[in-house]
Amino acid sequence: MRELAVGLIGRGDALESLTRAVRYRPGIRLADRVEPGVPLPDADCLVCAGLNASERAAVAALALAAGRRVAIPPLPSADDQARRALASGSIVQVSPLLGYAALRELAERVHRGELGRRYGLFALHHLARSAAAAVDDALADLLHYALEVLESPVIGVYARRSALFGDQADAWHAILRLADETLVTLEVVACLPVSWPEPERLLVEATGSDAVLRAEPTRQVVTASDRAGLTRGVPWRPDPSVGYLEAALARLEQPDSPSELRYLEVLSALLAAATEQQAVRL
Amino acid sequence: MRRLRIGLIGAGTIAQSAHLPAIQRLADELELVAIADVRAGVAADAARRFGAEAWYVDYRELIARPDIDLVDICTPEFLHGEQAIAAAEAGKHVLCEKPMASTLQEADAMIAAARRNGVKLMIGHSRRFTRRYQEVARLIRDGVIGEVRLVRENERRPRAMYGGLELPVSHWAPEGERPWLASAAYSQGAALTNAVHETDLARWFIGQEAVSVYAAARVTEPGGEVPDFLTYVITFASGALAAAEIVNQLPNGYPYYHMLEVVGSDGVIRAADPPMSPLEVWRPDGMTYPLNFGHLLHVDDAYLEELAAFARCVREDGELPLDPWDARQALALSIAIVQSSQTGQPVTLASIEPEGRELEGA
Ligand SMILES: NC(=O)c1ccc[n+]([C@@H]2O[C@H](COP(=O)([O-])OP(=O)(O)OC[C@H]3O[C@@H](n4cnc5c(N)ncnc54)[C@H](O)[C@@H]3O)[C@@H](O)[C@H]2O)c1
């Protein structure tokens, strides 16, 4: 059987580790890899990593125009173009959080019904203080993951997008009410000081009558404290690109545009709630 | 030094697990004189075990005693207003459990009664007297993390909350089976039972008043009447935020758990139970943190510190360790949480103020 030719779009470390993941994945080969902003590489399918909001949208637009199959991290804006791209079925969204084994495992256990009666899902992503520009993307990633874990329609949302430390938005707080009564709480804040031992912090807790599942995938750091009293952390976790690539390939194989569009609907309600400072019903 | 003579009303769970043991330990300063509880057996038993000379079923008999200086109210919050005001009118100093009351009108009337009668009134926001929170407050005061911009405290509890403690008393169940805490006729659920701690901590750490609240709540227990799950975001005047997710009905064996995070302009403070647990036990059926619950109640001596601080303030006619206005504002936030979770929209604090209230305490 012919190997699937995978093209990669990204930059920096994210692109490097995704390249490595493709190289060691049986059954596929690396067709080409490019940075965002150049024409799409020639390949059977495309996988993107490490793109910011506008790059995600630009790749989706290019892919839609060219009728290409592409896996991108969740779109952080809910415009018509995004809607068309996702409705086409050729563009699928993959939350980078699925790269973490602990978060995939948590999702699977929820799907298997381990929680019993579901109560809530609490998901927090704290980024470095310097990463304020990434909070919209991080919210999209977290939201997409949460909806994938719970698979119940969202009936109402409330959200705040705040500038806690400067003029630029650096925090999201969102509360989602689901049809099965589950309450979802999302918090994204670019708040970790330079001295913080973890480069980023992810915490997801799913609560229910029979179990609590708590995943903290980024806690896998080696910490070292020096003479000056400064503690630094070196992440030693497995490369999340491997899990992300698997999720992307699976999603490209079996696109689910209705749920992609549902994500977009929820996202657009969250954006509206944040602007209007009111809760929004869906 | 003359010992202050104390009477306790409501000898239920918190009284027997925390207040009465603390009074016993403060024997050099406090003398337990009488206990009142509508459940005669509970009152009599507590009086015997904790060495009170008298017990009553009607709390009014207790406060009518001229030899009592100070009354400690440990009844459900819907009774706090009536009982605290009656005690103040009888000239007693009043220490009253949190939440201050069920309504802001009652809370304001309590403050007014204390002022009118020249007695001290303090609400037992025990976390203010808990070492870990005091340390956090001190770090903030010392400017270690700069201006506080976000306070999150999540709280999780197993269904059998007091499972780890052997208590001779159950919660009061006015209509037979259902304890008052689970009955919509007597309780407003997690917003007042739990979150009033978090709202108080948020005001304490952020150091200003809140503007608005959004909350979502639900009942997770089949057949349950009051919300036992809550998630909220509070916005303060400066744009600082406070948030919490509170879950009360987790599988038994789940540790009693608080996750506090304070994010400031110059740094972060974190204090969460499981990583700080002093004891972990592994067995074939899993892992437990046996000291977590008692840790919160006793290891930090919160209730002892609370009672001692109040007794000192009464004896020396000193400044209150915790102004009742703070408890009143924590209650206001909890009431706003209840309203927001019912209307599904954000609620401003201004919109829930009782009409015509004098703004003297603000
Ligand atoms: N500071 C804390 O962290 C903390 C912890 C637990 C409870 N509390 C507060 O303490 C209060 C009591 O809670 P609890 O868990 O001990 O409840 P509980 O039901 O165990 O105890 C209440 C007691 O009051 C008695 N009572 C009822 N009506 C009375 C009346 N009219 N006169 C005299 N006694 C009466 C009941 O018989 C019962 O013994 C509540 O306001 C609760 O929020 C605070």
Side-chain angles (χ1 to χ4, degrees):
Chain A
M1 207 175 74
R2 195 177 79 85
E3 282 185 326
L4 190 74
V6 178
L8 302 182
I9 306 169
R11 69 155 64 88
D13 289 348
L15 183 61
E16 286 313 316
S17 43
L18 191 59
T19 306
R20 206 167 41 246
V22 170
R23 192 159 289 147
Y24 295 116
R25 165 66 158 77
I28 61 173
R29 69 179 173 84
L30 180 65
D32 197 2
R33 44 176 243 174
V34 298
E35 296 215 336
V38 303
L40 301 176
D42 198 17
D44 297 327
C45 65
L46 302 169
V47 179
C48 307
L51 303 186
N52 67 29
S54 59
E55 292 165 343
R56 292 178 190 189
V59 169
L62 278 177
L64 179 67
R68 306 287 302 279
R69 288 198 307 146
V70 59
I72 49 170
L75 291 167
S77 58
D79 50 26
D80 272 356
Q81 197 167 43
R83 205 158 276 126
R84 264 183 284 126
L86 295 178
S88 75
S90 63
I91 290 149
V92 298
Q93 303 179 100
V94 183
S95 174
L97 301 189
L98 290 177
Y100 295 108
L103 294 178
R104 290 196 304 276
E105 176 82 15
L106 185 143
E108 280 163 25
R109 285 172 181 267
V110 172
H111 294 162
R112 285 204 296 267
E114 276 190 23
L115 292 179
R117 279 177 289 109
R118 292 175 185 181
Y119 297 167
L121 184 85
F122 173 77
L124 164 157
H125 195 173
H126 286 179
L127 314 169
R129 176 71 69 81
S130 56
V135 290
D136 291 346
D137 305 345
L139 176 83
D141 297 345
L142 206 56
L143 174 67
H144 197 272
Y145 172 75
L147 297 181
E148 197 160 322
V149 170
L150 294 168
E151 299 174 307
S152 169
V154 175
I155 57 171
V157 303
Y158 170 81
R160 282 202 74 91
R161 182 173 183 265
S162 351
L164 292 179
F165 307 110
D167 300 334
Q168 193 186 0
D170 49 25
W172 271 98
H173 286 84
I175 293 173
L176 280 60
R177 292 188 299 117
L178 272 52
D180 69 357
E181 285 194 83
T182 308
L183 292 175
V184 178
T185 306
L186 305 177
E187 174 175 300
V188 175
V189 193
C191 63
L192 298 178
V194 197
S195 61
W196 196 255
E198 301 156 41
E200 62 176 336
R201 168 153 189 257
L202 265 166
L203 165 65
V204 177
E205 283 179 296
T207 51
S209 59
D210 297 352
V212 176
L213 305 170
R214 182 187 305 148
E216 276 188 86
T218 48
R219 203 166 57 178
Q220 291 173 282
V221 287
V222 174
T223 50
S225 301
D226 65 18
R227 231 180 289 189
L230 197 70
T231 300
R232 66 194 88 224
V234 184
W236 60 268
R237 56 177 181 259
D239 182 354
S241 294
V242 177
Y244 172 74
L245 175 67
E246 285 310 322
L249 294 172
R251 198 69 36 99
L252 283 163
E253 186 83 9
Q254 269 192 323
D256 178 5
S257 27
S259 57
E260 302 284 13
L261 288 168
R262 267 199 302 278
Y263 156 81
L264 223 52
E265 236 178 275
V266 178
L267 178 71
S268 104
L270 274 186
L271 298 170
T275 312
E276 291 156 26
Q277 309 221 348
Q278 290 287 312
V280 172
R281 281 176 177 281
L282 276 95
Chain B
M1 181 175 76
R2 183 178 85 82
R3 296 194 297 170
L4 288 173
R5 292 169 62 85
I6 184 166
L8 180 136
I9 307 177
T13 316
I14 199 61
Q16 298 213 23
S17 63
H19 287 246
L20 288 165
I23 293 170
Q24 258 183 339
R25 288 175 62 198
L26 287 167
D28 287 347
E29 299 173 46
L30 295 174
E31 182 184 353
L32 180 66
V33 177
I35 288 178
D37 197 294
V38 276
R39 297 184 288 184
V42 168
D45 182 59
R48 181 183 50 77
R49 288 196 308 116
F50 292 95
E53 63 179 55
W55 60 268
Y56 307 97
V57 170
D58 186 341
Y59 79 90
R60 282 167 298 202
E61 290 185 56
L62 182 146
I63 56 175
R65 283 180 69 132
D67 59 345
I68 287 180
D69 306 302
L70 190 164
V71 171
D72 183 5
I73 299 176
C74 297
T75 50
E77 56 264 19
F78 75 94
L79 293 164
H80 292 175
E82 171 198 320
Q83 294 177 341
I85 291 167
E89 299 293 358
K92 316 294 183 201
H93 301 288
V94 178
L95 174 64
C96 176
E97 257 302 346
K98 57 51 60 176
M100 184 167 185
S102 307
T103 67
L104 291 179
Q105 286 86 346
E106 287 166 337
D108 290 340
M110 288 162 76
I111 294 176
R115 284 204 186 141
R116 204 165 47 239
N117 293 284
V119 297
K120 310 267 187 209
L121 166 67
M122 186 173 99
I123 307 306
H125 275 280
S126 47
R127 288 188 203 172
R128 294 255 188 170
F129 299 90
T130 303
R131 271 285 299 284
R132 101 166 67 159
Y133 296 108
Q134 288 179 335
E135 287 301 320
V136 173
R138 190 179 56 76
L139 289 166
I140 293 169
R141 213 170 35 242
D142 291 351
V144 172
I145 60 163
E147 185 190 339
V148 176
R149 301 298 294 156
L150 170 66
V151 175
R152 172 174 285 285
E153 182 168 81
N154 287 356
E155 188 170 307
R156 316 234 181 284
R157 292 175 175 186
R159 219 164 272 136
M161 183 166 106
Y162 290 87
L165 300 181
E166 277 178 30
L167 287 175
V169 67
S170 57
H171 289 299
W172 177 55
E175 272 120 36
E177 294 283 287
R178 198 183 283 273
W180 71 272
L181 275 163
S183 159
Y186 301 95
S187 167
Q188 298 173 70
L192 273 79
T193 302
N194 312 71
V196 78
H197 285 299
E198 276 74 27
T199 57
D200 178 51
L201 293 177
R203 282 186 71 255
W204 188 23
F205 295 156
I206 293 174
Q208 48 178 264
E209 295 297 353
V211 177
S212 69
V213 172
Y214 176 81
R218 58 176 292 205
V219 180
T220 65
E221 270 310 85
E225 286 186 1
V226 301
D228 51 30
F229 184 113
L230 183 63
T231 176
Y232 67 74
V233 182
I234 301 174
T235 306
F236 283 75
S238 66
L241 302 176
E245 190 206 48
I246 293 169
V247 194
N248 277 331
Q249 296 288 338
L250 292 177
N252 289 334
Y254 188 84
Y256 192 84
Y257 168 46
H258 301 83
M259 181 192 92
L260 174 70
E261 314 212 331
V262 184
V263 179
S265 54
D266 300 331
V268 175
I269 298 172
R270 230 194 254 176
D273 287 300
M276 298 197 308
S277 286
L279 179 65
E280 296 170 351
V281 176
W282 281 269
R283 281 194 301 233
D285 56 349
M287 180 179 145
T288 53
Y289 300 89
L291 292 185
N292 269 31
F293 185 64
H295 185 65
L296 187 78
L297 282 179
H298 300 295
V299 175
D300 280 350
D301 277 341
Y303 293 84
L304 185 112
E305 296 292 341
E306 179 182 296
L307 269 151
F310 187 59
R312 203 175 313 121
C313 150
V314 167
R315 188 175 302 107
E316 296 167 3
D317 192 20
E319 203 173 309
L320 280 162
L322 174 60
D323 195 297
W325 179 254
D326 287 313
R328 192 267 188 205
Q329 290 303 81
L331 174 66
L333 279 167
S334 286
I335 287 172
I337 287 171
V338 171
Q339 290 200 0
S340 173
S341 64
Q342 286 169 352
T343 61
Q345 285 299 338
V347 166
T348 63
L349 273 287
S351 72
I352 63 163
E353 278 301 321
E355 261 174 57
R357 192 186 64 78
E358 307 155 51
L359 274 164
E360 48 180 341

